[in-house]
Amino acid sequence: MDKILNALGDWNPQLFRELKGRFSRKNVAIAFSVACFSQFLLYLFYLGELPNTLVNEPYNRYCTGPQDDYWRSTYQCLRDGNDWLLNWQLWHFDVFVALTLVGLGILLVVGTHLIGADIAKEEQRGTLGFVRLSPQPVSKILLGKLLGVPSLIYIGLAFVLPWHLWLGFQGGISLGWLMLLYGVAIASSLTIFMGAVLWSLVGSELLGGFHTWLYSGGLGLYLFGMSVACFEDNFPSDTPFDWVRVFYPGNIFYYLVDQNSLAPETIGYFLPHNWFLTQWYGSSLWVIGLGSLGFMAIHYVLLEALAWQGIRRRFYDPQATIITKTMGCGVAISSTIFMTGFVWAGDRPERLFANFQTLQGFYWVVMLGLILLLTPTRQRVQDWARFRHQDVARRRFKWAFFKDDRSPALGAIALMLLLTTGYQMAIVLLSPMPSQKLLVITALGLQGSCLFLLGILTQWIFLRRQKRAIWFGVAIIGPSIVPFILFMVFHGRFTLPITLGLFSAFPLGAVAMAVPSMVIWSAIAQWGVILGCLWGLQQQIQRLGQSDLKTFQPTPTE
């Protein structure tokens, strides 16, 4: 063991540091015991699902007789002497899927929590500062964290691997598909783990130690919800919710069911024909070979690129913006193209209006997230305000608002919203929506204005020294969500909630109920607030730069 660790230390000192504290005989024995006990429990559970030889059970999922007319997933039990005739391939496939989901859940949820807690602990103890001073490149430090922190989980999964492979072969899955399954698991783990590292570098400042529970808990709920929805065969929904499941690594099971010699109806879950019915911009990309997995891989690559840039920038400079303005615009445009494609799905054009209502929620989440990633901190804005007069490029054109990461990101946010909102408006015009196109376009414009106002308020919050999380909840989440809730509850009784709905982050429903004059006056009022906030923010930034400048200037009496 020591020879292996020493060899790893020569290659990656950070990985050696992580493994040295975790690889002991006691910890490896615990990992081995937990892996064996988990396999034994799963084996006993599925053994109990087989028909009992002592009981005359008429129907069971693993019998081989005619299908039950009422319970479609059970079959009549037939005997060969004293033994039941059983569909062992189906039994092995079920155990294989269950073992895969449990292992994947432990790897992703527990692994992300361990990584987040480890970085938070190092930040709290101050040891992360020493790591930053080491001559290792950040890529090696990141690789050491990703391989070293969850290493005991990797060891436990390695003990499970032989039984997992055997179950796959017995369940009718070829070696090539098993390798593809492992590839999807590795790709999803890399994406989620890199997101956990970035979230740890950013979230601890806003949420303290709760950020690790929030990330791993949210991930666990997502994986559980997606697994239930796929088992219940609730997809495709022909709504933007189909975009959410693109990130689910369990999508590979649709292909494992499709290539299996057992009929999909016999397996009864992850039915591939429903997966292949998923549409994107009205076309079935999913039916083209491994098209859906390629689409999923593109999303993983984009998320990894986003996380990698954020980690590289924030690791050595905690005051830097998480991503560049160019990257922010690229992610905004690509994510809008991806999610808008799921609006145009299904063969019922009258559902497009409802789909655009749903899309507003996803668009708001993505854009608000990018605003947070792009907005510079107080120190950065102060530096920019102090030294911007030295920028030669400023004399030619004010490119700083679009290129300089220290300047307020409002120029980049405005460009980002202009491009993405314009793209959605073009899709509305080209869509087969029978009517209400003008309503949707108006609502998209109002939502873009609302998001720009949120960008201004976010910059104002980032200029504060303390209690940013509280102010973010009060000034950003409150004005976005509360008016919409009031509109949804009281729009049938009063007129005021409709006006409030026009000012919310999701104004499409209110636009459909409001008279034109109400919409026009709401837009004028919204831009009045935006211009007022812009003027106030500009004054605050000028004072921020002037105050430090005066500090360094000598007084007339000196």
Side-chain angles (χ1 to χ4, degrees), residues 70-347:
Y70 186 73
W71 299 102
R72 305 292 296 177
S73 60
T74 59
Y75 301 87
Q76 185 179 3
C77 292
L78 305 176
R79 284 182 181 273
D80 182 14
N82 292 327
D83 299 326
W84 297 109
L85 294 175
L86 298 177
N87 188 347
W88 284 108
Q89 183 177 345
L90 178 61
W91 185 85
H92 285 105
F93 187 85
D94 283 352
V95 182
F96 171 83
V97 172
L99 185 63
T100 306
L101 289 177
V102 171
L104 201 59
I106 292 174
L107 173 65
L108 297 181
V109 178
V110 181
T112 52
H113 184 78
L114 291 177
I115 290 173
D118 180 80
I119 294 177
K121 187 191 298 181
E122 291 219 36
E123 189 77 68
Q124 189 177 10
R125 291 179 176 175
T127 53
L128 196 60
F130 292 106
V131 176
R132 289 189 175 106
L133 295 175
S134 68
Q136 299 179 68
V138 66
S139 57
K140 276 202 168 184
I141 296 173
L142 176 66
L143 186 63
K145 286 286 182 189
L146 298 188
L147 293 179
V149 175
S151 54
L152 291 177
I153 298 178
Y154 299 151
I155 292 295
L157 293 177
F159 289 133
V160 177
L161 187 61
W163 193 46
H164 188 258
L165 282 170
W166 185 80
L167 285 171
F169 292 141
Q170 296 300 314
I173 303 171
S174 63
L175 180 62
W177 284 105
L178 285 172
M179 293 300 107
L180 191 59
L181 168 67
Y182 296 141
V184 171
I186 293 171
S188 61
S189 302
L190 180 63
T191 305
I192 293 171
F193 287 174
M194 288 179 68
V197 174
L198 177 60
W199 177 242
S200 299
L201 294 175
V202 178
S204 59
E205 183 181 351
L206 295 174
L207 301 171
F210 181 67
H211 72 284
T212 56
W213 292 100
L214 183 64
Y215 188 91
S216 56
L219 176 65
L221 287 176
Y222 169 76
L223 293 175
F224 180 75
M226 284 294 108
S227 300
V228 171
C230 291
F231 270 98
E232 295 293 331
D233 202 19
N234 290 329
F235 290 117
S237 63
D238 290 335
T239 69
F241 280 104
D242 288 338
W243 182 57
V244 178
R245 72 165 178 167
V246 169
F247 304 93
Y248 179 55
N251 292 329
I252 183 65
F253 288 119
Y254 288 105
Y255 291 96
L256 299 186
V257 172
D258 186 53
Q259 62 84 40
N260 203 288
S261 58
L262 295 171
E265 292 74 17
T266 302
I267 296 175
Y269 52 81
F270 286 99
L271 297 177
H273 64 273
N274 289 337
W275 173 252
F276 295 144
L277 286 175
T278 304
Q279 291 188 355
W280 190 60
Y281 287 104
S283 64
S284 299
L285 174 69
W286 272 240
V287 299
I288 305 172
L290 301 175
S292 63
L293 293 183
F295 195 66
M296 193 165 68
I298 292 173
H299 281 74
Y300 283 163
V301 169
L302 284 176
L303 287 176
E304 288 169 6
L306 184 72
W308 169 242
Q309 187 178 82
I311 293 169
R312 195 158 48 87
R313 290 169 64 85
R314 289 301 288 263
F315 188 77
Y316 291 113
D317 185 3
Q319 296 294 329
T321 55
I322 298 170
I323 58 175
T324 62
K325 294 173 180 174
T326 306
M327 170 68 90
C329 288
V331 172
I333 294 170
S334 57
S335 59
T336 302
I337 292 173
F338 288 146
M339 73 173 87
T340 306
F342 292 97
V343 174
W344 197 337
D347 53 357

Side-chain angles (χ1 to χ4, degrees), residues 56 58 100 151 215 222-223 232 247 252 282 292 301 343 348 365 377 437 478 487 493 504 531 537 553 558:
N56 189 18
T100 306
S151 54
Y215 188 91
Y222 169 76
L223 293 175
E232 295 293 331
F247 304 93
I252 183 65
S292 63
V301 169
V343 174
R348 297 171 59 187
V365 171
T377 59
K437 288 185 178 180
F487 163 73
R493 298 182 179 180
S504 72
L531 293 176
L537 183 64
Q553 284 179 337
E558 291 178 346

Side-chain angles (χ1 to χ4, degrees), residues 254-457:
Y254 288 105
Y255 291 96
L256 299 186
V257 172
D258 186 53
Q259 62 84 40
N260 203 288
S261 58
L262 295 171
E265 292 74 17
T266 302
I267 296 175
Y269 52 81
F270 286 99
L271 297 177
H273 64 273
N274 289 337
W275 173 252
F276 295 144
L277 286 175
T278 304
Q279 291 188 355
W280 190 60
Y281 287 104
S283 64
S284 299
L285 174 69
W286 272 240
V287 299
I288 305 172
L290 301 175
S292 63
L293 293 183
F295 195 66
M296 193 165 68
I298 292 173
H299 281 74
Y300 283 163
V301 169
L302 284 176
L303 287 176
E304 288 169 6
L306 184 72
W308 169 242
Q309 187 178 82
I311 293 169
R312 195 158 48 87
R313 290 169 64 85
R314 289 301 288 263
F315 188 77
Y316 291 113
D317 185 3
Q319 296 294 329
T321 55
I322 298 170
I323 58 175
T324 62
K325 294 173 180 174
T326 306
M327 170 68 90
C329 288
V331 172
I333 294 170
S334 57
S335 59
T336 302
I337 292 173
F338 288 146
M339 73 173 87
T340 306
F342 292 97
V343 174
W344 197 337
D347 53 357
R348 297 171 59 187
E350 62 273 12
R351 292 186 59 179
L352 284 173
F353 183 81
N355 284 351
F356 273 106
Q357 280 186 305
T358 308
L359 179 67
Q360 284 191 320
F362 292 108
Y363 180 73
W364 179 80
V365 171
V366 172
M367 292 301 135
L368 188 59
L370 288 174
I371 288 172
L372 287 173
L373 298 181
L374 286 171
T375 302
T377 59
R378 175 188 175 90
Q379 185 62 50
R380 284 283 175 167
V381 176
Q382 194 173 29
D383 295 342
W384 172 77
R386 186 189 305 168
F387 299 110
R388 61 176 173 170
H389 65 283
Q390 299 177 1
D391 189 0
V392 178
R394 179 177 171 272
R395 302 193 187 105
R396 295 195 300 267
F397 191 77
K398 294 183 178 179
W399 281 107
F401 282 101
F402 298 96
K403 297 182 69 174
D404 192 346
D405 294 333
R406 299 176 304 169
S407 67
L410 297 179
I413 292 171
L415 179 64
M416 185 175 75
L417 293 173
L418 189 66
L419 293 175
T420 53
T421 304
Y423 178 79
Q424 292 181 78
M425 289 180 177
I427 294 299
V428 173
L429 292 174
L430 296 174
S431 70
M433 189 184 298
S435 61
Q436 302 170 317
K437 288 185 178 180
L438 184 59
L439 296 179
V440 177
I441 290 174
T442 304
L444 290 173
L446 287 176
Q447 190 188 31
S449 302
C450 178
L451 282 166
F452 186 64
L453 176 60
L454 296 182
I456 299 171
L457 294 176

Side-chain angles (χ1 to χ4, degrees), residues 437-517:
K437 288 185 178 180
L438 184 59
L439 296 179
V440 177
I441 290 174
T442 304
L444 290 173
L446 287 176
Q447 190 188 31
S449 302
C450 178
L451 282 166
F452 186 64
L453 176 60
L454 296 182
I456 299 171
L457 294 176
T458 303
Q459 182 61 80
W460 176 75
I461 292 170
F462 272 54
L463 293 181
R464 295 187 61 82
R465 294 180 186 274
Q466 297 176 343
K467 299 180 179 179
R468 295 176 185 169
I470 297 175
W471 277 104
F472 185 78
V474 172
I476 303 296
I477 303 298
S480 302
I481 305 296
V482 173
F484 179 71
I485 294 175
L486 293 175
F487 163 73
M488 293 297 292
V489 175
F490 299 108
H491 69 273
R493 298 182 179 180
F494 310 104
T495 306
L496 181 60
I498 298 177
T499 307
L500 293 175
L502 294 173
F503 285 97
S504 72
F506 320 106
L508 184 50
V511 169
M513 295 183 177
V515 296
S517 60

